[in-house]
Amino acid sequence: MTTNNTTIKLVQGDITRQTADAIVNAANSSLLGGGGVDGAIHRRGGPAILEACRKLRASHYGKGLRTGQAVATTAGELDAQWVIHTVGPVHSREEDRSDQLASCYRESLRVADELGARTVAFPAVSAGIYGWPMDDAARIAVETVRAADTSVEEVTFVLFDEAAYEAFDRQVS
Ligand code: AR6
């Protein structure tokens, strides 16, 4: 059931080529970069993002960003005002960490609301290096955004390959 007025869109491609008020990064707790989307965002966004992340580490986030939380920085040279960094859970077969993954979407939208961002682009958080099965990652992402208490007008899921796009498409249609 849709409980907000947020439009959900799907795009296949590279999130660093998107235009949005805020682009979400699937980061890690260190906030200091990595591979996957994180590497791509820092590469294309330039050094201002890392500089802002270092400042966060030196101030409120001395121990890093906890799993399921989100924090914003400049978007540097990306076509966005902000990057919202969130830390997805590593997938586990022994422990259900779905709540933490849902929290990434909820917290990112909460930060977007605080910033006044109206359009937000998300990657498939945790569905790469962190090993979350794509169909389940897509289900959690779409259900959580649909149920979120947010003023964000448009959420675009930017899926890197066709399989990811199709997994999300099955959830929205
Ligand atoms: N645009 C859109 N999606 C992308 C892009 C891109 N440029 N690049 C990869 N993807 P991942 P995670 C897809 O691994 O699983 C980093 O090292 C990718 O195909 O980026 O949350 C961080 O620092 C997959 O579907 O994020 C952390 O240590 C999805 O984005 C760790 O990886 C997420 O894959 C986080 O792992």
Side-chain angles (χ1 to χ4, degrees), residues 13-15 26-28 33-38 40 124-130 134 158 160:
D14 179 345
I15 201 166
N28 60 61
V37 185
D38 197 7
V125 178
S126 287
I129 292 164
Y130 282 177
M134 187 57 79
V158 184
F160 209 37

